[in-house]
Amino acid sequence: MTKHKKKKLPLVYQPLGFVLSWAGGALAGMAFRRTWMAIRHEEDAPDALDQDRGWGEILLAAAVQGAVFAVVRSAVDRTGAKAIERTTGVWPVAGKGGRD
């Protein structure tokens, strides 16, 4: 592929990345709800402003939610990038990058 096409690919990837992010967020929300149900046997995790919940419970919920969202985001991002690479032969972002 030419350099010109390699430079354009990230712009083409942006709409796909948006859709994948939205789908990943929905998937992560479902995964977190199931995980919280398995851990605490409650349908809803505590909110930080819930006066009836203690610090430990609120921080545990936040840590679990953060971990689930990070894992799902990484899995969705990686799957999308590999699909673009298989389709076009070019990795969708320049350089090694890192989390923003």
Side-chain angles (χ1 to χ4, degrees), residues 3-89:
K3 272 188 162 182
H4 182 66
K5 287 186 179 180
K6 285 185 181 181
K7 287 184 178 181
K8 292 286 184 182
L9 187 58
L11 293 176
V12 172
Y13 181 68
Q14 285 178 350
L16 177 62
F18 175 77
V19 170
L20 289 173
S21 292
W22 181 83
L27 181 63
M30 290 178 359
F32 172 66
R33 282 189 290 282
R34 286 183 180 216
T35 302
W36 189 254
M37 179 63 112
I39 293 171
R40 298 294 298 214
H41 307 291
E42 298 175 348
E43 288 196 30
D44 295 320
D47 181 80
L49 300 178
D50 188 342
Q51 191 174 16
D52 298 327
R53 304 290 186 115
W55 276 96
E57 199 172 11
I58 289 170
L59 295 180
L60 173 64
V64 170
Q65 185 177 34
V68 168
F69 271 79
V71 167
V72 171
R73 178 181 176 191
S74 293
V76 168
D77 286 351
R78 185 67 176 201
T79 300
K82 293 296 276 182
I84 291 291
E85 182 184 42
R86 275 192 307 276
T87 304
T88 66

